[in-house]
Amino acid sequence: MGTWQTALVGVVMLCGLLATALPHVPSTLAVWAGVFWWSSADGTTRAWWVLVAATALLLISQVVRWLLPSGSGQVAEVRTRQLLFASGTGTVGFFLLPVVGAVPGFVAGLYGWERLRLGGHGSAWASTRDILRTTGRYTLVELCACLLVVGLWLAVLLLG
């Protein structure tokens, strides 16, 4: 597989990561398609095992999202930019503190956004909890699954 094709696969996966913040956009499908493209072009056994692992992780994330209880109450305004920012901070957290850093990074991004918007700690924390109860936890589950798949792909690509 050439450098340009690998870079394009990375762009597809990056688009999938960004799409986790957008409602009703199949971000897991975009990440899976990137892995499928790479594994079918690479053709090695390790590439196919990465595809199997990615498929399993993304299916498990869909089951977890389905099993999560629906949010109680409605959030006044959850902006796409807000979830996109939190997804970005979760991604940075994932790579700074491998795997476990995604959750604190995501929550910190939401809290920081709300703190700037609302001004006070109490109201920002209450709003962050409300967002996590309604839409944030679904976004977080999808983001973590996609980050695990992209991290696995990068690890195999760089170490293999």
Side-chain angles (χ1 to χ4, degrees):
M1 173 175 254
T3 304
W4 284 104
Q5 194 173 10
T6 304
L8 287 174
V9 168
V11 168
V12 168
M13 288 187 187
L14 180 63
C15 289
L17 282 175
L18 292 174
T20 58
L22 304 172
H24 311 297
V25 175
S27 59
T28 54
L29 184 59
V31 171
W32 184 86
V35 174
F36 179 75
W37 179 12
W38 172 75
S39 63
S40 61
D42 192 277
T44 62
T45 304
R46 70 181 161 94
W48 290 109
W49 279 111
V50 170
L51 180 64
V52 168
T55 303
L57 280 169
L58 295 175
L59 285 175
I60 289 169
S61 77
Q62 294 304 306
V63 170
V64 168
R65 285 187 66 198
W66 181 68
L67 291 175
L68 285 173
S70 62
S72 57
Q74 295 293 342
V75 175
E77 296 176 28
V78 179
R79 297 178 184 92
T80 302
R81 289 178 292 166
Q82 193 171 6
L83 292 176
L84 190 60
F85 179 74
S87 295
T89 56
T91 302
V92 169
F94 178 84
F95 287 107
L96 287 179
L97 188 62
V99 181
V100 296
V103 175
F106 186 85
V107 174
L110 275 180
Y111 173 77
W113 185 282
E114 290 299 296
R115 181 74 188 246
L116 286 174
R117 188 174 74 87
L118 298 173
H121 168 70
S123 57
W125 185 245
S127 180
T128 301
R129 282 193 322 255
D130 286 343
I131 292 168
L132 285 172
R133 281 188 197 118
T134 56
T135 60
R137 59 181 159 196
Y138 301 110
T139 303
L140 184 58
V141 166
E142 193 167 347
L143 176 69
C144 286
C146 289
L147 281 171
L148 284 171
V149 169
V150 171
L152 174 64
W153 174 73
L154 281 173
V156 168
L157 193 64
L158 296 174
L159 299 175

